Amino acid sequence: MNLAFQDIRHHLGRFVATSVVVGLLFAVVLAMSGIYQGLVDDATVLVHRVNADLWVVQQGTRGPFADPSRLDPSLELRVAAVPGVQSARAFTTQVLQRDRGGRQLRFALVGLSFPEDRGEELDVVQGHAIRQAHGELLADASLGVAIGERLRLGRDEYSVVGLTRQLLASGGDAVVFATGADAQAILADDSSDALIAERERRLARLRDTDLGRSQPALEGLVVDPRWTFPAVAAPPIHAVLVNAAPARLDEVRDTLARWSDVTVWTRAEEERLVLQGMVEKARMQLGVFAAILVITSSLLLAAVLYNLTLEKTHDVAVLKLLGARATRIMALVVEQAWATAILGYAVALALGSQAFPYFPRRVVLTETSVVGVGVLLLVVSTLASVAGVAYAIRVDPGPVLES
Amino acid sequence: MEALRAEGLEKRYGEGETEVWALRGVDLLLQSGKVVALLGPSGAGKSTLIKVLGLVTHADRGDLWMNGERVLEGGRPVADVGELRRSHLGFVFQKANLIPFLNARKNVEVACEIGERYSPGKRAAELLAYLGVGHRADAYPSMLSGGEQQRVAIARALANGPSLILADEPTAALDRDRGRAVMDLLRRVAHEQGTAVVVVTHDHRALDVFDATYEMEDGRLSGPNLAA
Ligand SMILES: Nc1ncnc2c1ncn2[C@@H]1O[C@H](COP(=O)(O)OP(=O)(O)O)[C@@H](O)[C@H]1O
Ligand SMILES: [Mg+2]
């Protein structure tokens, strides 16, 4: 006869309630580790998906995400000419917020260097990659826009032609892709001070030229970033993404590193910069909180399980008078603790898989955290039952005779 | 047949000011198949004697034999206490002390499993029927009356065919008729199963069920007074 099973069956309601509470507690632990992992994943997903071997940014910066980085567009061609480079792509990124039907659309706009880069590698889950030089957008599904939807950005309307999934910028905002030229046009209309200043600079430079003075009508054109005007610098790009033949990657990197106007980061370095720059504090905060939660939950679980043993003092004493061996008494305590932990774990996993997709930020359950929480539950319940067993073994059967 | 022999049992609680001599040299000889009563005022040492005989409390001094086997020597156990409880001893308490999460049958079965002598299911059914609670086998302790609980407890004490049953005020929590019925059962157990039964009781109306009575006072035992 399995005494633990009999006890559980007789107190089924209490057992289930205890396990559900344990499950809830550890679902929160699971959520914390998932939110932590989600933050890390989200922060690096863009760097990951654009799949560049090297990130060439403005000299001395940790751009383009952690630091602003401004580069002359001509850099794209200079880099492309380096022996060993397979592709060089201009990259721009900027977080924008636009009102849309009373709802705030907040997203990171990334310019692709069309036509070489049409966003085909970004994992378009619905619709298609960018096909035309102007007017098409790829948006992340988390932005809540649909295929075919038209968005007014800057002076033009753009239509959403493709949706990506879980493609976020390091701040957690959905990423929207446009061709480089479109991105520049949209950014140019952004009211941010930097862009106003940039426009002012262009006008000033135009007015410095004879042509500008004689043809005031050109002023309308020169502030449109799609026009490059020989006398006026083109709008800056934020990075050049480089892919190189694997065998020549080091060589390319060494070459670029010698250039005085740029800094080169490998993909791993860029990921680390994003994590350090944008989420390090949040990450540490979450980590500390998760640790506190784990400790609290473990202590609570241990207390609950130990209490279950204390409640059995009388029954343990009776079993001893019947001559029960220590193993039978241990089994009663340990098996019940494990049963509680196992059902609690199942509840935590079930709850997690049902609820986490509805969280506003992504919750990523890695194998490590799922297994880790399971192991934690097993260890804590075992330790608690060791304490319980130590107590049960010392129970004096004497008082039972008289009580 | 001799089921138990005790010689010179001494037990002292506390020290100095609080020192109490609960047993002051108790000798006792119990025969198989006999039921004896242990009488005496509160504090006389009856429960202490039951606990020492049941190897629940250690005596300070004295010797004890069960079924001819030496169990206590100079107050110290010289046999496997667990094994003795499994195969030689049965306890009945004032409260039935059934395990609350097991039904009546399982309460007996668990004792059979622990004793490893009889097949639990069959033995439990037989014993519950023998004690007149066969129809309550599936009931949990909380659903049983006090008298029924006590009968299940006696069935459990009998589970492994013990040579000695120790009962400390088993009827104190029962009304007169139910108490009487339990005493009759204990007598029947002794006579039919050949078990030696010691019953601590205050109930002088039920003394006729006993083969002999012992009187305890201030840690000393006198008797036996054989039944008329
Ligand atoms: N655990 C104990 N610690 C100290 N004194 C005890 C303990 N158990 C019993 N006594 C004392 O030993 C004496 C005998 O007690 P007990 O055997 O319970 O008597 P009875 O069962 O006859 O009433 C009493 O004076 C009691 O106070
Ligand atoms: Mg007593």
Side-chain angles (χ1 to χ4, degrees), chain A residues 78-242:
Chain A
R78 278 171 60 207
V79 172
V82 171
V85 170
Q86 286 175 335
S87 79
R89 294 172 276 161
F91 179 89
T92 58
T93 175
Q94 172 99 21
V95 174
L96 299 175
Q97 191 157 337
R98 288 289 188 278
D99 187 75
R100 178 171 168 74
R103 195 161 57 97
Q104 290 296 314
L105 281 188
R106 195 182 145 86
F107 55 90
L109 181 67
V110 170
L112 299 174
S113 98
F114 188 86
E116 301 82 42
D117 188 357
R118 298 158 179 265
E120 266 137 354
E121 287 183 22
L122 297 171
D123 248 344
V124 178
V125 292
Q126 207 189 327
H128 55 79
I130 291 178
R131 289 175 182 163
Q132 291 175 24
H134 174 57
E136 293 191 345
L137 297 177
L138 283 178
D140 190 70
S142 66
L143 191 61
V145 296
I147 297 275
E149 200 167 328
R150 299 185 69 77
L151 299 177
R152 182 154 194 95
L153 299 170
R155 296 180 193 169
D156 293 316
E157 279 216 324
Y158 294 83
S159 96
V160 177
V161 297
L163 293 179
T164 60
R165 259 238 321 273
Q166 282 163 350
L167 192 41
L168 306 180
S170 56
D173 305 303
V175 177
V176 169
F177 296 90
T179 63
D182 279 354
Q184 294 288 8
I186 294 165
L187 294 188
D189 201 56
D190 193 64
S191 61
S192 78
D193 292 344
L195 288 164
I196 291 170
E198 172 67 22
R199 238 175 354 229
E200 291 303 320
R201 271 200 300 278
R202 285 160 159 260
L203 286 172
R205 271 174 274 171
L206 178 70
R207 285 169 194 147
D208 272 351
T209 63
D210 293 338
L211 188 62
R213 278 189 292 271
S214 61
Q215 306 266 336
L218 280 178
E219 290 188 2
L221 276 180
V222 83
V223 294
D224 183 337
R226 279 166 295 176
W227 292 92
T228 38
F229 208 59
V232 177
I237 58 174
H238 301 149
V240 173
L241 310 186
V242 180

Side-chain angles (χ1 to χ4, degrees), chain B residues 26-162:
Chain B
V26 170
D27 301 330
L28 181 63
L29 181 65
L30 295 176
Q31 297 292 342
S32 301
K34 301 283 183 207
V35 55
V36 304
L38 200 50
L39 306 170
S42 184
K46 306 182 295 295
S47 293
T48 303
L49 179 57
I50 291 288
K51 283 191 269 188
V52 168
L53 297 181
L55 305 169
V56 176
T57 297
H58 289 181
D60 297 321
R61 219 168 280 159
D63 302 296
L64 192 62
W65 292 261
M66 281 185 195
N67 283 346
E69 187 197 349
R70 181 78 169 236
V71 172
L72 281 186
E73 191 171 344
R76 284 201 321 277
V78 290
D80 179 348
V81 173
E83 178 54 32
L84 286 170
R85 284 184 188 154
R86 286 191 284 275
S87 55
H88 285 300
L89 289 170
F91 293 94
V92 181
F93 322 106
Q94 178 177 330
K95 280 202 312 186
N97 283 318
L98 299 176
I99 293 177
F101 56 82
L102 300 179
N103 64 23
R105 178 188 299 122
K106 291 216 159 74
N107 260 285
V108 180
E109 281 180 6
V110 76
C112 295
E113 281 186 10
I114 288 169
E116 294 170 351
R117 184 185 283 185
Y118 301 105
S119 134
K122 189 157 164 276
R123 179 75 175 167
E126 281 169 8
L127 285 173
L128 290 173
Y130 179 64
L131 290 160
V133 280
H135 60 295
R136 303 293 276 149
D138 292 324
Y140 282 88
S142 58
M143 300 185 290
L144 296 171
S145 72
E148 287 171 333
Q149 286 187 31
Q150 210 52 299
R151 284 160 191 256
V152 176
I154 295 170
R156 179 176 66 184
L158 286 172
N160 301 307

